[in-house]
Amino acid sequence: MTLPGSPHVAYRGDTLFIDDCSLAELARRFGTPLFVYSRTAMLAALGAYQRALAGRDHLVCYAMKANSSLAVLQAFDRAECGFDIVSGGELERVLAAGIDPNKVVFSGVGKTRAEMQRALEVGVMCFNVESESELDLLSSVASQAGRTARVSLRVNPDVDALTHPYISTGLKGNKFGIAHASAVDVYRHATTLAGIEIVGIDCHIGSQITEARPYLDALDRVLDLVEAVESHGIRLHHLDLGGGLGIRYTDEQPPSADALVAAMLARIDARGHGQRKILLEPGRSLVGNAGVLVSEVLHLKPGEDKNFCVVDAAMNDVARPAMYGAWMGIVPCTLRDAPPMTFDVVGPVCESGDWLGRDRALAVQAGDMLAVLSAGAYCMSMASNYNSRGRAAEVMVAGSNAWLIRERELPGDLFRGEHLLPAD
Ligand code: LLP
């Protein structure tokens, strides 16, 4: 049986492996629910971007919102990767992983004064600024701190990324970026502000994009703006073209990172901008297919309308199906020679929205281990403690090595920081 997604997650006989580790064995050793990531797969995905950009001034900035576990950051850092952050919390994670802040771009539509102060203090490479109001605040924070903020304006190219509405960000109606029509004026305004140094331009149009066309349309709009801005004597050193490349969850056919980057570079060169530094902010495409979530089947519950396969992972571990109706592959860690039945795979959380997969043909029994595929991105980083469920443990593998990179949360961890009321 071949699986969509990464070649690093595959059956050998009837046993599902990630790299050279059996997932059922990892589940026995570390317990479930358990996220397992292949470092090999992550670095291969990063390498595809880096190879496509070789010979140019560039930095691939991993959008760490996709998976912000410290060991994941550390693995990318060791492979010359930069980082895209969206909060003060992500900045502290970067610092905790020992990463040089000068490889960090700070994105996000609602940066606070305190986040700006901290990012200036540690010296991030660039702020991706999303509104005039943010620009003014950053100028005042930087001036007060006696520092200069390097700035790139995130422009909204008004291009349809052809993806789920919740994760489309480059349309006029989205909250993100500075409208194409006002970008030149905001750049001109930026030149008048103290504590601001303009270094680039930025755009990001959405996530799980499976076609090259929206990227090229957005790129054209951005290059138009670069030319318009520079005609006012404002120099833009780098182009940050965002992230958003989709992965294969089931039968999607996104372009490969190499092909997409090659097409974008060809357009950049054709328009005479080949000398500029290129930044990219991929998240999902670096980690999504490098990870799985292993979960134990607790009960099979046949019903009149539906059969349910109740597992020990839930919407608090993998929110994507409940949140976006997203399809995630679900397969057994050990194949059984038995006829499959059709199940809704659901978790123990007290909501009917708590499902991981619907109408899945599976040959399983209670006690079996199932793997939710493509779970390296936007799963652990979106996990919650709903129903007072501790978050899962995480393991990183490379070849036959397996390292626990995050301990399973215990009940005591969940109420740390809470206080009982004083006696009446
Ligand atoms: N840069 C910016 C400014 C972003 O907002 C994002 C994602 C990225 C880069 C990385 O995009 P990626 O390469 O991962 O597509 N939780 C959703 C995805 C939300 C994406 C938000 N922004 C999901 O589970 O599908």
Side-chain angles (χ1 to χ4, degrees), residues 46 49 60-64 66 242-245 280-286:
L46 173 64
Y49 280 98
V60 178
C61 294
Y62 167 55
M64 61 179 279
L245 178 60
L280 295 174
E281 302 169 358
R284 188 191 317 264
S285 54
L286 295 191

Side-chain angles (χ1 to χ4, degrees), residues 63 65 84 107 154 167 204 206-208 243-245 281-284 320 324 378 382:
K65 63 173 78 70
D84 169 48
S107 299
R154 175 172 175 183
I167 54 177
H204 172 82
S207 196
Q208 186 55 16
L245 178 60
E281 302 169 358
R284 188 191 317 264
R320 304 191 69 258
Y324 317 112
Y378 301 115
M382 291 172 67

Side-chain angles (χ1 to χ4, degrees), residues 129-380:
V129 169
E130 300 218 12
S131 64
E132 195 162 337
S133 156
E134 183 193 339
L135 191 60
D136 291 339
L137 180 63
L138 183 58
S139 163
S140 110
V141 173
S143 309
Q144 272 168 31
R147 297 186 189 258
T148 300
R150 287 177 292 264
V151 163
S152 186
L153 294 190
R154 175 172 175 183
V155 297
N156 183 329
D158 193 24
V159 161
D160 189 351
L162 308 172
T163 182
H164 190 288
Y166 282 14
I167 54 177
S168 164
T169 55
L171 279 170
K172 257 197 244 170
N174 299 133
K175 68 178 174 183
F176 297 99
I178 293 168
H180 194 267
S182 13
V184 172
D185 287 344
V186 182
Y187 267 108
R188 294 183 70 188
H189 175 61
T191 61
T192 67
L193 296 175
I196 298 288
E197 180 194 352
I198 298 167
V199 292
I201 191 162
D202 167 46
C203 96
H204 172 82
I205 56 173
S207 196
Q208 186 55 16
I209 302 169
T210 53
E211 288 171 45
R213 163 99 352 241
Y215 279 102
L216 297 175
D217 291 347
L219 178 57
D220 271 331
R221 307 268 289 162
V222 168
L223 293 178
D224 292 345
L225 274 179
V226 169
E227 289 160 12
V229 169
E230 291 203 332
S231 74
H232 290 275
I234 303 167
R235 169 102 182 92
L236 300 177
H237 177 245
H238 75 241
L239 301 177
D240 180 341
L241 301 171
L245 178 60
I247 61 170
R248 186 152 187 205
Y249 287 97
T250 167
D251 54 4
E252 302 90 336
Q253 303 271 338
S256 67
D258 319 46
L260 177 67
V261 174
M264 292 201 291
L265 293 179
R267 183 67 60 96
I268 289 169
D269 291 349
R271 291 193 49 176
H273 292 273
Q275 79 293 355
R276 280 178 219 279
K277 181 169 183 174
I278 307 289
L279 267 52
L280 295 174
E281 302 169 358
R284 188 191 317 264
S285 54
L286 295 191
V287 292
N289 276 327
V292 304
L293 172 67
V294 186
S295 178
E296 182 179 340
V297 176
L298 300 176
H299 310 287
L300 297 184
K301 194 176 166 196
E304 258 179 51
D305 285 348
K306 288 250 170 196
N307 301 315
F308 293 100
C309 170
V310 185
V311 299
D312 66 357
M315 66 190 287
N316 73 297
D317 302 298
V318 179
R320 304 191 69 258
M323 226 168 142
Y324 317 112
W327 199 99
M328 315 273 296
I330 303 176
V331 296
C333 292
T334 310
L335 292 173
R336 282 183 179 280
D337 192 11
M341 270 174 67
T342 301
F343 293 101
D344 276 11
V345 180
V346 300
V349 163
C350 302
E351 297 215 17
S352 294
D354 180 27
W355 57 277
L356 302 179
R358 287 187 164 145
D359 298 322
R360 303 303 175 89
L362 291 165
V364 276
Q365 291 181 6
D368 285 4
M369 300 294 174
L370 291 179
V372 178
L373 305 177
S374 314
Y378 301 115
C379 290
M380 186 52 154

